[in-house]
Amino acid sequence: MADESNKVVAETRDSFGKGAARKIRAAGKIPAVIYGHGTDPVHVTVPAHQVGLLLRKANAVLDLDIAGKSQLVLVKDVQKDPVLQIIEHLDLIVIRRGEKVQVEVPVHVEGEPFSGTIAVLDVPTIKLEVEATHIPERIVIDVTDAEEGTQYHAKDFALPTGAVLAEDEDLLILNIVVPAAARAEDEETAEGAEEATEAAGEQAAE
């Protein structure tokens, strides 16, 4: 959602290539390109530290100040150095207030399922169609006391007002299962009990 905290001063740039990008990052900035709505791509730089903090939130919306002109953008792609995890480049999409966009929203699991079981997240995000300036940070599912075999599909999640599922409603998101190690232990215990019972029966017969 657009507010004062996501206002970012961006500067246009006319130098490209790896060498130029390296200089930009050395100056504490990130190279980025803005595109969408039939406009020509605009190449800018944004402050690395401030934007890095904003990007902790999925689907970050930035209110860019480009030479005094405001431009809302959605962060579409973040390219990072695979080793250093430094942000190397951003792809930003032009958005407008009231416009609907499709985004992948993270799934957050709350609560503890039934004793001895665990919640396994098969799909970590759900695709939603929402207003560009009202993208939820996450979708929450409560698995408190859910029993083994319980399944949660895309259609089972409560969505924020104005959000529409842009996913197959039967897509399996989360499973409640007994961990393989615990199941193996239970089977060993059961086998041991059976063997002990059989041995006791043989002794009684003798």
Side-chain angles (χ1 to χ4, degrees):
M1 188 167 172
D3 56 35
E4 292 298 321
S5 64
N6 67 353
K7 287 187 179 296
V8 175
V9 175
E11 298 170 356
T12 55
R13 61 188 169 98
D14 53 16
S15 55
F16 307 99
K18 287 188 176 179
R22 208 173 292 120
K23 284 181 183 175
I24 289 168
R25 288 193 291 272
K29 297 176 182 178
I30 304 169
V33 62
I34 305 167
Y35 59 94
H37 282 293
T39 58
D40 290 332
V42 177
H43 298 270
V44 298
T45 63
V46 293
H49 180 68
Q50 181 190 4
V51 171
L53 293 175
L54 291 170
L55 291 181
R56 289 180 179 178
K57 175 184 167 184
N59 303 307
V61 171
L62 309 180
D63 184 358
L64 298 183
D65 178 339
I66 307 172
K69 186 179 177 184
S70 175
Q71 176 65 71
L72 282 180
V73 296
L74 173 67
V75 178
K76 194 64 178 175
D77 187 51
V78 180
Q79 293 158 32
K80 289 186 176 181
D81 180 292
V83 178
L84 302 175
Q85 289 297 299
I86 294 169
I87 299 171
E88 295 190 324
H89 189 271
L90 298 175
D91 285 354
L92 309 172
I93 290 186
V94 172
I95 56 173
R96 295 182 179 142
R97 293 180 192 281
E99 176 187 7
K100 293 284 183 91
V101 293
Q102 285 195 0
V103 290
E104 299 278 352
V105 177
V107 174
H108 179 73
V109 182
E110 283 187 353
E112 292 292 330
F114 193 77
S115 178
T117 66
I118 58 171
V120 176
L121 201 56
D122 286 349
V123 181
T125 61
I126 291 183
K127 187 186 288 183
L128 301 180
E129 185 171 291
V130 294
E131 271 195 38
T133 51
H134 291 81
I135 299 172
E137 286 190 49
R138 59 190 186 179
I139 298 297
V140 177
I141 190 78
D142 188 345
V143 299
T144 301
D145 294 334
E147 297 184 355
E148 180 190 2
T150 304
Q151 295 185 328
Y152 297 88
H153 299 84
K155 63 187 175 186
D156 299 324
F157 286 69
L159 303 181
T161 304
V164 177
L165 191 65
E167 198 79 87
D168 177 357
E169 64 175 21
D170 293 322
L171 177 68
L172 180 61
I173 305 291
L174 188 140
N175 258 319
I176 304 298
V177 301
V178 172
R183 191 181 293 279
E185 282 177 21
D186 286 346
E187 286 172 359
E188 283 175 17
T189 302
E191 284 174 14
E194 280 178 21
E195 287 169 7
T197 303
E198 285 172 13
E202 287 169 6
Q203 285 176 355
E206 288 170 6

